Amino acid sequence: MTAPAPRFLVASDLDRTLIYSPRALALGVPDEEAPRLLAVEVHNGRPLSFMTEHAAELLVELIRNCVFVPATTRTRAQYQRVNLPGPRPDWIPRYAICANGGHLLVDGEVDQDWHRDVRDRLAESCAPLQDVVHHLALTADPEWTLKRRVAEDLFAYLVVEREELPHGWVEELTAWAAERSWTVSLQGRKVYAVPEPLTKSAALAEVERRTGAATVLTAGDSLLDAELLLAADAGYRPGHGELADTGWTGPGVTALPQVGASAGEEIVRRLLARVREGELTRVGA
């Protein structure tokens, strides 16, 4: 017997949307009033990312009532360090989107057919990765560039001293990349160069097709999340991040005033409220 299609599909970006580094927490209250935090990522034996405990409790309830999909620009290895709270100790998401849509994980395993299709689309429609890597090597000054990375052989990013970035450098890189069908995104101390066809929204559409979900909800904070937000019936963005800095919004997108970890908690609260409201409406119909 075929299982009924889920009512809600919820996809959320991770970093600076759902989970926060110590630098990004922005607690903004006296120490004695700070919320209790739950570490959800450990790297080299040290806690790296956090949620408030209340956000974690809300997330568990949300996961019980929808198909929940982490949607991240992180590589698979970086994503696998994240241990989100779930309804049972061994819970992992049925679906997860990594590498900005380059990888679709199903029960933790790579969907090779999806990945092959992504590579075919990139080869057909944008400049090669090596051209972008070469341009970054020529234009990113070692004085303010801390790291250069190629992620999953799909896109490139730099870790920079943000305060030392030359005025106009990101804009010049953005214009150069756009001519080659690439997108540039500045997130915290990272400058991403990502092929335009490599999107979280494309991978989300595939999950939506497979699940048959009736309603899609999303959350994200960066330029790379804009398509994800627009692809949903309703989307939420925090009061910080690349989209907030530019005042970006779109149809069905709620711009929240909260920043830092409190924004993460408010996002989960809003998502859960929308799911509960939909379920009550269905029962009462």
Side-chain angles (χ1 to χ4, degrees), residues 75-116:
T75 65
R76 287 168 293 170
Q78 292 166 340
Y79 164 72
Q80 286 164 354
R81 296 197 305 252
V82 178
N83 185 15
L84 293 174
R88 58 182 187 276
D90 61 345
W91 176 84
I92 63 170
R94 168 67 171 160
Y95 297 100
I97 296 166
C98 295
N100 214 62
H103 285 293
L104 177 61
L105 305 187
V106 182
D107 294 327
E109 301 295 327
V110 173
D111 185 313
Q112 296 293 352
D113 290 338
W114 172 257
H115 183 60
R116 187 161 42 249

Side-chain angles (χ1 to χ4, degrees), residues 248-269:
W248 181 93
T249 189
V253 177
T254 300
L256 301 174
Q258 292 88 350
V259 300
S262 64
E265 183 175 311
E266 181 63 18
I267 285 169
V268 183
R269 181 181 292 110

Side-chain angles (χ1 to χ4, degrees), residues 125-127 135 172-184 196:
S125 56
C126 56
H135 184 76
E172 290 176 7
L173 177 63
T174 299
W176 180 90
E179 294 175 354
R180 292 155 179 83
S181 298
W182 283 64
T183 298
V184 172
E196 286 180 359

